Amino acid sequence: MADLHFELVTPEKLVRSEEVFMVVVPGTEGDFGVLANHAGVMSTIRDADLVIYASEGATPETISVQGGFAQVDEKGLTVLAEAIS
């Protein structure tokens, strides 16, 4: 399966830019998983954990995000977070 290009950005800096298997995004309307070739979507995000799977079956990594939005397009997933912790 193709990898998903994932970027995590805050107002201060580019935090992550990498190829991953899947990211679960805490959308304000509910969590949604993004894999490679996902349909385009934009969503605001709520204060919660972003869950990143580096490869299929991998132990997930979590990053707490506060506000912002997520955009999925032909280039991959970009999460613009107001802050991370």
Side-chain angles (χ1 to χ4, degrees):
M1 173 170 249
D3 287 335
L4 168 70
H5 184 72
F6 165 62
E7 290 192 346
L8 174 58
V9 182
T10 66
E12 293 81 33
K13 65 179 180 175
L14 173 64
V15 178
R16 302 282 283 270
S17 179
E18 61 192 333
E19 303 301 311
V20 299
F21 173 68
M22 180 175 74
V23 179
V24 179
V25 179
T28 51
E29 300 296 317
D31 293 356
F32 61 96
V34 180
L35 295 160
N37 304 313
H38 192 286
V41 68
M42 283 190 83
S43 174
T44 52
I45 57 176
R46 68 183 194 286
D47 297 355
D49 287 342
L50 203 63
V51 182
I52 303 158
Y53 294 84
S55 60
E56 189 170 6
T59 300
E61 173 187 359
T62 60
I63 298 174
S64 292
V65 294
Q66 288 88 48
F69 70 94
Q71 176 178 344
V72 181
D73 60 23
E74 67 280 351
K75 294 176 277 189
L77 167 65
T78 302
V79 175
L80 302 168
E82 292 172 12
I84 62 168
S85 57

